[in-house]
């Protein structure tokens, strides 16, 4: 049973930083794609960043490009999201996702495995 457990959310002022982590377990073969999605109140869930684990290629949404960095630690089976220069618009529940397949798009319908989420709140 694949399990994704997020941690590291919290409250921060605009301009601040947070680091999210996701502990992944329950699989025999490492997911080809790991990533982060988010959902703000009243809005649709959107892709934030993904990483193709065989090639270490990363993908970012336009709204976070240059501010967020996705990375993974194979030895610890963890995924991280370093978030800098945070804005109030970044306030959302952040979810860790996993997928086995050749592509890692920022499309929620691709990802079958989701964590429970961790809340990020950015105040102005």
């Amino acid at each position: 049973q694949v399990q994704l457990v997020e941690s590291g959310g919290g409250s921060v002022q605009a301009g601040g930083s947070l680091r999210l982590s996701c502990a992944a377990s329950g699989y025999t073969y490492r997911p080809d794609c790991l990533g982060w999605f988010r959902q703000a109140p009243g809005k649709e869930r959107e892709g934030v960043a993904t990483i193709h684990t065989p090639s270490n290629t990363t993908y970012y949404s336009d709204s976070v490009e240059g501010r967020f960095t996705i990375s993974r630690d194979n030895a610890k089976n963890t995924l991280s999201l370093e978030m800098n220069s945070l804005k109030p618009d970044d306030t959302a529940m952040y979810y860790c996702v996993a997928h086995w397949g050749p592509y890692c798009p920022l499309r929620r319908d691709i990802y079958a495995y989701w964590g429970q989420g961790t809340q990020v709140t950015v105040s102005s």
Side-chain angles (χ1 to χ4, degrees), residues 23-109:
S25 63
Y27 47 80
T28 302
Y29 300 101
R30 185 181 64 208
D32 298 306
C33 302
L34 291 168
W36 294 93
F37 278 65
R38 68 184 181 186
Q39 187 167 22
K43 295 187 178 180
E44 290 191 356
R45 199 166 292 191
E46 63 174 358
V48 174
T50 59
I51 184 167
H52 182 245
T53 58
S55 66
N56 229 29
T57 302
T58 56
Y59 305 89
Y60 296 94
S61 69
D62 290 343
S63 61
V64 308
E65 179 88 51
R67 299 188 297 122
F68 291 11
T69 302
I70 188 171
S71 61
R72 62 187 179 91
D73 184 329
N74 286 340
K76 297 180 180 179
N77 283 338
T78 58
L79 178 73
S80 297
L81 185 69
E82 184 73 33
M83 305 185 295
N84 298 315
S85 301
L86 283 161
K87 306 174 182 179
D89 284 349
D90 295 319
T91 295
M93 185 72 77
Y94 283 71
Y95 299 91
C96 179
V97 297
H99 167 64
W100 281 260
Y103 305 109
C104 307
L106 293 169
R107 281 173 42 193
R108 61 182 180 178
D109 60 312

